Amino acid sequence: MRKIKSSAIAKGVLVALGMMGVITIAMVAPNSLQMLRIFGFGKKDYNPKSVYNSLKRLQKNRLVDITEKDGKTIIKITKNGKSKLLEYEFEDMQIAKPKKWDGKWRIVGFDVPEKRKKAREALRHKMKELGFIQMQKSLFVYPYECRKEIEFIGEFFQVYEHIVLIEASSISQEEYYKYKFGLA
């Protein structure tokens, strides 16, 4: 059995709960093998006790509510759990790259006020992490559809109202950017 970090188990549990909202389990024992299947874990990767311990830790940290009713265990994600799930989504975010480029450029500009400097720098860092190329200090270019991701990042940092997304059919120095994105 390979050992998986408890944080990966906790993340898997929150993701499953985020998709389902509430899970009801008829429990025979606290570390029932049912938990593994419900949360998408295979017997070879996870110890059932590790999943149980992760659930208890998530409950202690108020990320999930666990209640008993009529011999069944009800596991529900809390508001704090949903916030943590957003953090996971943010950390794991990637922009899908289609097989064929549509020939359009996505230009993202922002003018985040000085009083929100940390959010502005975090926004800039995340865009670079996602593969955007910086054209100017607060102006980035990307060749693929990214509206949902930009909206999510803007909302995550609470600066969406300061972001502008432009779709263009051509840009200056286009050959340079095509080369940088591997489109040439």
Side-chain angles (χ1 to χ4, degrees), residues 13-37:
V13 168
L14 278 180
V15 168
L17 282 168
M19 289 189 300
M20 295 183 250
V22 177
I23 296 175
T24 304
I25 306 171
M27 299 286 282
V28 177
N31 60 359
S32 170
L33 285 176
Q34 282 186 65
M35 268 197 288
L36 292 171
R37 280 183 254 116

Side-chain angles (χ1 to χ4, degrees), residues 1-57:
M1 181 184 319
R2 68 184 176 133
K3 190 169 179 163
I4 302 296
K5 286 184 175 184
S6 61
S7 61
I9 294 171
K11 185 176 180 178
V13 168
L14 278 180
V15 168
L17 282 168
M19 289 189 300
M20 295 183 250
V22 177
I23 296 175
T24 304
I25 306 171
M27 299 286 282
V28 177
N31 60 359
S32 170
L33 285 176
Q34 282 186 65
M35 268 197 288
L36 292 171
R37 280 183 254 116
I38 287 170
F39 294 117
F41 304 137
K43 285 192 268 185
K44 295 177 184 173
D45 295 336
Y46 297 90
N47 177 337
K49 186 125 178 90
S50 297
V51 176
Y52 176 76
N53 290 338
S54 287
L55 272 171
K56 286 301 186 184
R57 207 169 16 264

Side-chain angles (χ1 to χ4, degrees), residues 39-144:
F39 294 117
F41 304 137
K43 285 192 268 185
K44 295 177 184 173
D45 295 336
Y46 297 90
N47 177 337
K49 186 125 178 90
S50 297
V51 176
Y52 176 76
N53 290 338
S54 287
L55 272 171
K56 286 301 186 184
R57 207 169 16 264
L58 289 169
Q59 182 183 30
K60 182 181 173 190
N61 292 328
R62 298 183 175 146
L63 300 175
V64 299
D65 282 329
I66 302 175
T67 55
E68 299 281 334
K69 186 176 180 181
D70 300 328
K72 295 182 181 180
T73 300
I74 300 165
I75 306 167
K76 188 170 22 174
I77 192 166
T78 65
K79 186 177 179 180
N80 289 343
K82 289 177 183 174
S83 293
K84 189 67 172 174
L85 189 56
L86 280 177
E87 286 179 35
Y88 287 143
E89 288 178 24
F90 181 77
E91 291 169 8
D92 296 341
M93 181 186 289
Q94 293 182 344
I95 299 174
K97 295 179 183 172
K99 292 182 184 198
K100 188 173 190 259
W101 179 45
D102 64 3
K104 296 180 183 174
W105 295 101
R106 281 62 181 195
I107 301 164
V108 180
F110 51 91
D111 188 15
V112 178
E114 187 62 25
K115 64 183 178 185
R116 304 289 325 274
K117 183 177 180 178
K118 286 184 181 181
R120 182 179 62 224
E121 292 306 317
L123 170 64
R124 188 175 283 127
H125 175 78
K126 187 64 177 180
M127 290 181 69
K128 288 178 181 177
E129 184 181 289
L130 288 171
F132 285 77
I133 293 178
Q134 194 169 9
M135 300 174 85
Q136 293 181 1
K137 191 78 171 159
S138 296
L139 194 64
F140 288 79
V141 65
Y142 197 73
Y144 307 111

